[in-house]
Each structure stands twice: as structure tokens, then as C-alpha cells.
Amino acid sequence: MQFGIFSVGDVTPDPTTGRTPTERERIKAMVAIALKAEEVGLDVFATGEHHNPPFVPSSPTTMLGYIAARTERLVLSTSTTLITTNDPVKIAEDFAMLQHLADGRTDLMMGRGNTGPVYPWFGKDIRQGINLAIENYALLHRLWREDVVDWEGKFRTPLQGFTSTPRPLDGVPPFVWHGSIRSPEIAEQAAYYGDGFFHNNIFWPADHTKRMIELYRNRYAHYGHGTPEQAIVGLGGQVFMRKNSQDAVREFRPYFDVAPVYGHGPSLEEFTRQTPLTVGSPQQVIEKTLSFREYAGDYQRQLFLMDHAGLPLKTVLEQLDLLGEEVVPVLREEFAKDRPANVPDAPTHGSLLAGAKDKEGARA
């Protein structure tokens, strides 16, 4: 099972000091967080894609390419690539290039995004969001698997005899997760292609997450990719830790109360009861994260949000030390217990390449 972190890249004032980092400081902080993730033994660093203040990660492949040059083991991913407003041809080119630069240590997560004004900024209609996601990914899927593509659709100009370059590393496209919180059509899309489904359940109660994942698993099996238990599932989560749980609650409360993602709403106590947010000791984080398996089944990737709401870099790095030293080793051991042998690990470039060679050998 893979453990990692994802960042939304918000530039938010620290409510305890009133200071707002510069965009440069925030970008450099995201890089430092990724490097720390590898240092403490995490598996994945993922960045969102945003094109509006107060967020900075408008060019994920630029950032991930820079991080790739400074890391050796970390899987580099997006926590959203906007399949609706990006040209699928450009996605195909950018991520194949990143795949080569990172020696295969890359995958990506498709999403529609949750910022309405982005659509007209890129010449798209938000009312066509689902249709854009379906058509654009159908083209991207072909661009990575066919050397020459003839294509015609509704939302972009036709392609005639087009070859996307560079071609995927070793002929193996990057693994794709489809991320959605509330759209069953996206769970269906992930199942249809046999791709991964990532439910970023940071705002939602367990029963909603369970319904979405069960839909994906059942449809994955319907399309003949394997049993429901073999479907590839990822989850999001949010944590803030201190050795003493009371210290964690006291320190995090001012950040929670004004956070752009959930501030000015339910109390911290209400939110932690109703969602996966955990504010407390490392042991409490372990216990709550292990409980995700009760409604999600055995899954492949767990990503945590830890660097938002104006938290200073020093604090985030301290959180990563706790995550890497006290939490993830226990989670790895506990999640491995009684895990059925037929449940696959999270796909990597190496495992996908091996699978492709096995198929070639079977056809020979």
C-alpha cells in the first residue's frame, strides 16, 4: 500500500501571525515538503492544479519535473489534472515527458475541478463538465496507446494522422486515477477503463464514500477487469498531530476556523466526527485511518493533506516527521494483516511494464 501527501497549494495568511507567504515562498515550500516526504519514507507526493488565487500550482508538470530531479524514489503525481479544461493532446505530451524525466516515477489523477470560473477562462462551458471529462479522456487514452490517431469529437478540432510525442516510457502509459467526490459518472469512467478511482473524502461522511467506492468496484468487475476486491482505490484524508491530543486541538483550531476549504462552518469537533479529519495524537491518526478499511475495503493509496490553511512550513515538516516515524510504519503493518492475496498493490511503472511483457509473452 502506498502512503503519501497531497497539496492544494493555497496561499493563506497564518491566522496566528497575520503573515501571508509570497507566491515564491509557497512554491518553494511545496518543494521542501516533497523532499521531506521522501526523506521520511513516504511513497507519493501529489500536487493539485489551480488557475486562480489563492492557489499557486498552475503548472503541475513543471513542479513535478523539478522535484523529480531532486528525488530518487518518490512517486510524483497530480491530485487533480483538469481533464475538462486542458487539451488532452497537451496532457499526453506533458505527462509522457515527465514520465521520461522521472524514470517512470509518475502517475496522474484526472478531475473536473471545483472552481466554476476556470471553465470560461479556458473557453469551456461548465455545463458540459461531465461530457468534457468523458470525451477528453477517451482521446487521451488513445493518444498514449496508438502511434497514429485519427479522431473527431465535439469539443476540439479533429486529428488526422497525429502522433503524440514523446511516446510513453517503455510503451507503458502513466497510470491514471480518476478523482471525484460526488459524481458517479466519474466512478463509472474509472471502472470502464480499468483505471484507479480516488475518492478524496475529506469533506464527506463515511456512508457517502462507501457508496461511491462500491459503485466503482462493482462496475470494475462488470467490465471484466477483475473482481470488485481487485479494483484500484485511493482515499484522501486530513491530519494534524502533536504528541498530546489536547495540544494538537489547541494549536490547529485557529487554522481550522478560518481555513478556505472548511472555515466558518461546522466546529472542529463536529467536522472531525463527521469526516476523516483527525486532529490529535499519532495513535488517534492511526486508529481513524485504519477505520477507513471498514467502508472502503482493502485499498491501494492513502494521501494526506497536511500543508494548508496557512500552517507554517516548519510546522508542516514537523507533521511529516510524525507521519513518517510514528504513523505510517504502523499503518503499513496493520493494513498488510489479513490482506487477501488477490488484492493488488498500487500500480507502478515497473508493475505495469511487467504486466505488459506478460501479455506479450502470452500472445507469442
Side-chain angles (χ1 to χ4, degrees), residues 229 293 297-299 331-343:
E229 295 75 22
R293 189 165 54 177
D298 287 285
Y299 61 108
L331 291 177
R332 289 193 198 279
E333 182 178 349
E334 292 298 319
F335 273 115
K337 290 180 180 177
D338 301 320
R339 186 180 179 95
N342 66 335
V343 174

Side-chain angles (χ1 to χ4, degrees), residues 86-90 124 132 135-136 139 143 151-160 162:
N86 281 306
D87 183 353
V89 171
K90 195 68 171 76
K124 307 298 181 183
L132 280 162
E135 181 177 297
N136 283 354
L139 174 55
L143 290 170
W151 180 89
E152 185 172 353
K154 180 179 179 181
F155 297 110
R156 76 174 314 280
T157 54
L159 297 173
Q160 295 182 347
F162 179 77

Side-chain angles (χ1 to χ4, degrees), residues 98-152:
L98 177 62
Q99 190 189 33
H100 283 271
L101 291 172
D103 296 323
R105 294 184 291 119
T106 185
D107 55 40
L108 68 162
M109 186 192 305
M110 299 299 176
R112 289 185 295 134
N114 57 11
T115 306
V118 171
Y119 283 79
W121 293 343
F122 288 87
K124 307 298 181 183
D125 184 345
I126 191 173
R127 294 169 295 185
Q128 297 293 330
I130 291 290
N131 292 331
L132 280 162
I134 293 170
E135 181 177 297
N136 283 354
Y137 184 64
L139 174 55
L140 175 61
H141 193 267
R142 289 186 58 191
L143 290 170
W144 275 336
R145 289 165 175 81
E146 300 176 26
D147 290 338
V148 180
V149 174
D150 295 315
W151 180 89
E152 185 172 353

